[in-house]
Amino acid sequence: MKVGINGYGTIGKRVADAIRAQPDMEVVGVAKTRPNFEAQSAVEKGYDLYAAVEERRHLFGEAGIDIAGDVADLVAASDVVVDACPSGVGAENVDLYREHDTPAILQGGEDADAVDASFNARANFGAVADADLVRVVSCNTTGLSRLVAPLREAYGIEKVRATLVRRGGDPDQTGRGPINDILPDPVELPSHHGPDVETIFPDLAIDTLGLKVPATLMHTHSVNVTLESRPTVAEVRDLLEGERRTFVIPDWLGLDGAGAIKELAQDAGRPRADVWENCIWGESITVEGDDLYLFQAIHQESDVVPENVDAIRAMTGLASQEESTRRTDEALGLDAPLAPSGAVPEAAADD
Ligand code: NAD
């Protein structure tokens, strides 16, 4: 499967590396609007670089960076395009993909009605078969969908209520904020995240509230799910530990927040210290009657990356859900847990 990446920023560069790691996929090239450190790094990694904006193509030559062609050439050479342009630009690119009859995957910053179907590998893999335009839902919606899917299958869900404490910007987004404040954002309820989760689970009852805080590392979700049955805490824990892209943080690890989680990812040798899986604090899992509560941290820059890889196989019929997610996770190293789940290992207990 020949894949082109249009938009090589936070998401695009991670998706390119993840696709290159897959045994059944190849990166044809990446399109950028201007020469900068990311363009330079794409060249060093051996990706063919295409000019996203024809009138700015000369800038690459002036910076000494070779260009393989324009973005239309990239689309023509690709079996599938992953569009990782800034919010709104993906929808503007749809005509280009249609002109070349090239299926495309847009990102969560685009509206759901810009595509044929929205996608989460755990929750609705089969729903995008043969779709020409698919949207991998946002980082927050991906995190919530991975949690909702197993809970709904195992226990039934009456209602989800989630408060999303969102990072103000990514580490390189120096112009974003707040710098020293805590903002209800959006101040109206519910936030747009609930309706976005409903693009994956159309009949789910979910209300979400959003806040923005001066942080760049991860989002944190405070989640309350009213279930249709009453599992024990141990049963919920077992269920979530058995999932592919959820990491239930064992109590003894001492991961008290996003900083420590990112440090662990760095120590574990994860590329860019990425945390592809939902990080659920085991100690926070609480059941009161039919209400389940927990906290989870979501790494906004990377949780959608394996989802983009699976979306390619899902829409082209390259593999089943089980086969695709296994292949993606093995190729990325996501199948190696960040740390062992469960009880304190002997060595740590003796320290
Ligand atoms: P980004 O700004 O880091 O990267 C976008 C890249 O696209 C930049 O390199 C920019 O120069 C380039 N670009 C701009 N216009 C272009 C054009 N016309 N053609 C080709 N390239 C163009 O943005 P991002 O954070 O990677 O976000 C991309 C998409 O992913 C958005 O829809 C966003 O909502 C979504 N998303 C972002 C995050 C996140 O936390 N960063 C998480 C999940 C989903």
Side-chain angles (χ1 to χ4, degrees), residues 1-7 15 19 29 31 71-72 74-84 93 96-97 100 102-107 132-134 308 312 315:
M1 188 63 61
K2 292 183 173 153
V3 185
I5 317 288
N6 189 14
V15 170
I19 286 169
V71 65
L74 174 65
V75 176
S78 303
D79 297 321
V80 181
V81 171
V82 176
D83 184 302
N93 290 334
L96 174 68
Y97 306 138
H100 289 84
T102 305
I105 296 169
L106 308 189
Q107 304 305 311
D132 291 326
L133 281 174
V134 168
N308 272 275
I312 294 171
M315 65 198 291

Short mmCIF file of all heavy atoms in Angstrom, two decimals, residues 1-7 15 19 29 31 71-72 74-84 93 96-97 100 102-107 132-134 308 312 315:
data_model
loop_
_atom_site.label_atom_id
_atom_site.label_comp_id
_atom_site.label_asym_id
_atom_site.label_seq_id
_atom_site.Cartn_x
_atom_site.Cartn_y
_atom_site.Cartn_z
N MET A 1 0.86 -1.18 0.00
CA MET A 1 0.00 0.00 0.00
C MET A 1 0.90 1.24 0.00
O MET A 1 1.71 1.43 0.91
CB MET A 1 -0.87 -0.04 1.26
CG MET A 1 -1.95 1.00 1.33
SD MET A 1 -3.21 0.90 0.06
CE MET A 1 -3.94 -0.71 0.31
N LYS A 2 0.77 2.06 -1.05
CA LYS A 2 1.61 3.26 -1.16
C LYS A 2 0.85 4.43 -0.52
O LYS A 2 -0.24 4.78 -0.98
CB LYS A 2 1.90 3.57 -2.61
CG LYS A 2 2.80 2.54 -3.25
CD LYS A 2 3.12 2.94 -4.67
CE LYS A 2 4.16 1.99 -5.23
NZ LYS A 2 4.10 1.87 -6.66
N VAL A 3 1.45 5.04 0.50
CA VAL A 3 0.76 6.07 1.26
C VAL A 3 1.49 7.40 1.13
O VAL A 3 2.71 7.48 1.33
CB VAL A 3 0.66 5.67 2.75
CG1 VAL A 3 -0.18 6.68 3.52
CG2 VAL A 3 0.10 4.27 2.92
N GLY A 4 0.74 8.44 0.79
CA GLY A 4 1.29 9.80 0.78
C GLY A 4 0.79 10.55 2.01
O GLY A 4 -0.33 10.33 2.46
N ILE A 5 1.66 11.42 2.55
CA ILE A 5 1.27 12.19 3.73
C ILE A 5 1.23 13.67 3.31
O ILE A 5 2.27 14.23 2.95
CB ILE A 5 2.30 12.06 4.89
CG1 ILE A 5 2.76 10.61 5.08
CG2 ILE A 5 1.75 12.67 6.17
CD1 ILE A 5 1.77 9.68 5.67
N ASN A 6 0.07 14.27 3.38
CA ASN A 6 -0.05 15.69 3.04
C ASN A 6 -0.19 16.47 4.34
O ASN A 6 -1.20 16.38 5.03
CB ASN A 6 -1.28 15.91 2.15
CG ASN A 6 -1.33 17.33 1.59
OD1 ASN A 6 -0.33 18.05 1.66
ND2 ASN A 6 -2.46 17.71 1.05
N GLY A 7 0.85 17.26 4.67
CA GLY A 7 0.88 17.97 5.96
C GLY A 7 1.81 17.22 6.89
O GLY A 7 1.47 16.13 7.37
N VAL A 15 2.73 9.96 11.83
CA VAL A 15 2.03 8.98 10.99
C VAL A 15 3.00 8.44 9.92
O VAL A 15 3.03 7.24 9.63
CB VAL A 15 0.77 9.60 10.36
CG1 VAL A 15 0.18 8.67 9.30
CG2 VAL A 15 -0.27 9.89 11.44
N ILE A 19 3.81 4.51 9.48
CA ILE A 19 3.51 3.79 8.24
C ILE A 19 4.78 3.13 7.70
O ILE A 19 4.76 1.98 7.27
CB ILE A 19 2.88 4.75 7.21
CG1 ILE A 19 1.43 5.02 7.65
CG2 ILE A 19 2.92 4.17 5.80
CD1 ILE A 19 0.74 6.12 6.93
N GLY A 29 5.83 9.68 -0.06
CA GLY A 29 6.45 10.97 0.16
C GLY A 29 5.58 11.80 1.08
O GLY A 29 4.49 11.37 1.47
N ALA A 31 4.20 15.97 1.92
CA ALA A 31 4.07 17.31 1.35
C ALA A 31 4.17 18.36 2.45
O ALA A 31 3.56 18.21 3.52
CB ALA A 31 2.74 17.45 0.62
N VAL A 71 2.18 18.67 -4.76
CA VAL A 71 1.31 17.78 -3.98
C VAL A 71 0.42 16.93 -4.89
O VAL A 71 0.12 15.76 -4.58
CB VAL A 71 0.50 18.59 -2.93
CG1 VAL A 71 -0.48 19.55 -3.57
CG2 VAL A 71 -0.23 17.66 -1.99
N ALA A 72 0.02 17.48 -6.05
CA ALA A 72 -0.81 16.69 -6.98
C ALA A 72 -0.05 15.46 -7.46
O ALA A 72 -0.64 14.39 -7.65
CB ALA A 72 -1.25 17.56 -8.16
N LEU A 74 2.15 13.86 -5.69
CA LEU A 74 2.15 12.94 -4.54
C LEU A 74 0.82 12.17 -4.49
O LEU A 74 0.80 10.95 -4.30
CB LEU A 74 2.36 13.72 -3.24
CG LEU A 74 2.25 12.92 -1.95
CD1 LEU A 74 3.35 11.86 -1.85
CD2 LEU A 74 2.32 13.83 -0.72
N VAL A 75 -0.27 12.91 -4.67
CA VAL A 75 -1.59 12.26 -4.61
C VAL A 75 -1.71 11.24 -5.75
O VAL A 75 -2.19 10.12 -5.54
CB VAL A 75 -2.72 13.32 -4.69
CG1 VAL A 75 -4.09 12.65 -4.73
CG2 VAL A 75 -2.63 14.28 -3.50
N ALA A 76 -1.22 11.60 -6.92
CA ALA A 76 -1.32 10.69 -8.07
C ALA A 76 -0.50 9.42 -7.84
O ALA A 76 -0.88 8.34 -8.31
CB ALA A 76 -0.83 11.41 -9.34
N ALA A 77 0.61 9.54 -7.11
CA ALA A 77 1.48 8.37 -6.90
C ALA A 77 1.05 7.51 -5.72
O ALA A 77 1.64 6.46 -5.46
CB ALA A 77 2.92 8.88 -6.67
N SER A 78 0.01 7.95 -4.99
CA SER A 78 -0.37 7.26 -3.74
C SER A 78 -1.62 6.41 -3.94
O SER A 78 -2.54 6.79 -4.67
CB SER A 78 -0.67 8.30 -2.65
OG SER A 78 0.44 9.14 -2.43
N ASP A 79 -1.67 5.27 -3.24
CA ASP A 79 -2.91 4.48 -3.18
C ASP A 79 -3.88 5.11 -2.18
O ASP A 79 -5.09 5.02 -2.33
CB ASP A 79 -2.62 3.04 -2.73
CG ASP A 79 -1.73 2.31 -3.72
OD1 ASP A 79 -1.92 2.50 -4.93
OD2 ASP A 79 -0.84 1.55 -3.27
N VAL A 80 -3.33 5.69 -1.13
CA VAL A 80 -4.11 6.35 -0.08
C VAL A 80 -3.32 7.57 0.37
O VAL A 80 -2.09 7.52 0.42
CB VAL A 80 -4.29 5.45 1.16
CG1 VAL A 80 -5.11 6.14 2.24
CG2 VAL A 80 -4.93 4.13 0.82
N VAL A 81 -4.03 8.66 0.72
CA VAL A 81 -3.36 9.82 1.30
C VAL A 81 -3.82 10.00 2.74
O VAL A 81 -5.02 9.88 3.03
CB VAL A 81 -3.67 11.11 0.51
CG1 VAL A 81 -3.17 12.35 1.24
CG2 VAL A 81 -3.06 11.05 -0.88
N VAL A 82 -2.87 10.26 3.63
CA VAL A 82 -3.23 10.71 4.97
C VAL A 82 -3.03 12.21 4.98
O VAL A 82 -1.92 12.70 4.75
CB VAL A 82 -2.35 10.05 6.06
CG1 VAL A 82 -2.69 10.62 7.43
CG2 VAL A 82 -2.54 8.54 6.06
N ASP A 83 -4.13 12.93 5.21
CA ASP A 83 -4.08 14.39 5.24
C ASP A 83 -3.94 14.82 6.70
O ASP A 83 -4.84 14.57 7.51
CB ASP A 83 -5.37 14.96 4.63
CG ASP A 83 -5.34 16.48 4.55
OD1 ASP A 83 -5.18 17.12 5.61
OD2 ASP A 83 -5.48 17.02 3.44
N ALA A 84 -2.81 15.42 7.03
CA ALA A 84 -2.58 15.87 8.40
C ALA A 84 -2.30 17.37 8.39
O ALA A 84 -1.41 17.88 9.07
CB ALA A 84 -1.43 15.10 9.04
N ASN A 93 -8.84 20.23 0.90
CA ASN A 93 -8.05 19.35 0.01
C ASN A 93 -8.87 18.22 -0.60
O ASN A 93 -8.37 17.49 -1.46
CB ASN A 93 -6.89 18.72 0.80
CG ASN A 93 -5.83 19.74 1.15
OD1 ASN A 93 -5.69 20.74 0.46
ND2 ASN A 93 -5.09 19.49 2.22
N LEU A 96 -9.08 17.75 -4.38
CA LEU A 96 -7.84 17.22 -4.97
C LEU A 96 -7.83 15.69 -4.92
O LEU A 96 -7.47 15.02 -5.89
CB LEU A 96 -6.63 17.79 -4.20
CG LEU A 96 -5.25 17.26 -4.56
CD1 LEU A 96 -4.85 17.71 -5.97
CD2 LEU A 96 -4.20 17.74 -3.54
N TYR A 97 -8.25 15.14 -3.77
CA TYR A 97 -8.25 13.67 -3.63
C TYR A 97 -9.31 13.06 -4.55
O TYR A 97 -9.08 12.03 -5.15
CB TYR A 97 -8.49 13.28 -2.16
CG TYR A 97 -7.51 13.95 -1.21
CD1 TYR A 97 -7.92 14.48 0.02
CD2 TYR A 97 -6.17 14.07 -1.57
CE1 TYR A 97 -7.03 15.10 0.85
CE2 TYR A 97 -5.26 14.71 -0.72
CZ TYR A 97 -5.71 15.23 0.49
OH TYR A 97 -4.81 15.86 1.31
N HIS A 100 -8.26 12.80 -8.21
CA HIS A 100 -7.34 11.69 -8.51
C HIS A 100 -7.93 10.35 -8.13
O HIS A 100 -7.24 9.33 -8.21
CB HIS A 100 -6.00 11.90 -7.78
CG HIS A 100 -5.19 13.01 -8.36
ND1 HIS A 100 -5.38 14.32 -8.01
CD2 HIS A 100 -4.22 13.00 -9.30
CE1 HIS A 100 -4.54 15.08 -8.69
NE2 HIS A 100 -3.83 14.30 -9.48
N THR A 102 -8.35 9.15 -5.32
CA THR A 102 -7.48 8.58 -4.29
C THR A 102 -8.18 8.66 -2.93
O THR A 102 -8.53 9.75 -2.48
CB THR A 102 -6.15 9.38 -4.22
OG1 THR A 102 -5.57 9.39 -5.52
CG2 THR A 102 -5.17 8.76 -3.23
N PRO A 103 -8.40 7.52 -2.29
CA PRO A 103 -9.01 7.56 -0.96
C PRO A 103 -8.14 8.37 0.00
O PRO A 103 -6.90 8.38 -0.13
CB PRO A 103 -9.05 6.09 -0.52
CG PRO A 103 -8.77 5.29 -1.74
CD PRO A 103 -8.04 6.16 -2.71
N ALA A 104 -8.77 9.04 0.95
CA ALA A 104 -8.00 9.88 1.87
C ALA A 104 -8.53 9.77 3.29
O ALA A 104 -9.72 9.52 3.51
CB ALA A 104 -8.04 11.34 1.41
N ILE A 105 -7.60 9.99 4.22
CA ILE A 105 -7.94 10.00 5.65
C ILE A 105 -7.69 11.41 6.16
O ILE A 105 -6.58 11.92 6.04
CB ILE A 105 -7.06 8.99 6.41
CG1 ILE A 105 -7.36 7.57 5.92
CG2 ILE A 105 -7.27 9.11 7.91
CD1 ILE A 105 -6.40 6.54 6.40
N LEU A 106 -8.72 12.03 6.70
CA LEU A 106 -8.57 13.36 7.32
C LEU A 106 -8.46 13.18 8.83
O LEU A 106 -8.67 12.09 9.36
CB LEU A 106 -9.76 14.25 6.98
CG LEU A 106 -10.17 14.42 5.51
CD1 LEU A 106 -11.23 15.53 5.38
CD2 LEU A 106 -8.99 14.73 4.61
N GLN A 107 -8.16 14.29 9.52
CA GLN A 107 -7.94 14.22 10.97
C GLN A 107 -9.10 14.85 11.74
O GLN A 107 -10.01 15.46 11.15
CB GLN A 107 -6.62 14.91 11.33
CG GLN A 107 -5.42 14.35 10.60
CD GLN A 107 -5.24 12.85 10.77
OE1 GLN A 107 -5.28 12.33 11.88
NE2 GLN A 107 -5.05 12.13 9.66
N ASP A 132 -14.39 6.33 0.76
CA ASP A 132 -13.33 7.07 0.07
C ASP A 132 -12.71 8.13 0.97
O ASP A 132 -11.55 8.48 0.83
CB ASP A 132 -13.90 7.78 -1.17
CG ASP A 132 -14.29 6.78 -2.24
OD1 ASP A 132 -13.60 5.75 -2.35
OD2 ASP A 132 -15.28 7.03 -2.94
N LEU A 133 -13.51 8.65 1.90
CA LEU A 133 -13.02 9.69 2.80
C LEU A 133 -13.37 9.31 4.22
O LEU A 133 -14.55 9.12 4.56
CB LEU A 133 -13.71 11.03 2.48
CG LEU A 133 -13.19 11.81 1.30
CD1 LEU A 133 -14.09 13.01 1.04
CD2 LEU A 133 -11.75 12.28 1.54
N VAL A 134 -12.34 9.19 5.04
CA VAL A 134 -12.52 8.76 6.43
C VAL A 134 -11.86 9.79 7.33
O VAL A 134 -10.85 10.39 6.97
CB VAL A 134 -11.88 7.36 6.62
CG1 VAL A 134 -11.77 6.99 8.09
CG2 VAL A 134 -12.66 6.30 5.86
N ASN A 308 -4.58 5.99 12.56
CA ASN A 308 -4.42 6.32 11.14
C ASN A 308 -3.93 5.10 10.35
O ASN A 308 -4.37 4.85 9.24
CB ASN A 308 -3.43 7.48 10.97
CG ASN A 308 -4.10 8.84 11.04
OD1 ASN A 308 -4.61 9.35 10.05
ND2 ASN A 308 -4.13 9.43 12.24
N ILE A 312 -6.20 2.94 7.30
CA ILE A 312 -5.79 2.59 5.93
C ILE A 312 -6.23 1.15 5.62
O ILE A 312 -6.82 0.88 4.58
CB ILE A 312 -4.26 2.74 5.77
CG1 ILE A 312 -3.88 4.21 5.89
CG2 ILE A 312 -3.79 2.14 4.44
CD1 ILE A 312 -2.39 4.46 5.96
N MET A 315 -10.24 0.81 5.47
CA MET A 315 -10.98 1.34 4.31
C MET A 315 -10.60 0.62 3.02
O MET A 315 -11.36 0.64 2.06
CB MET A 315 -10.83 2.86 4.19
CG MET A 315 -9.45 3.37 3.91
SD MET A 315 -9.27 5.13 4.30
CE MET A 315 -10.27 5.91 3.05
#
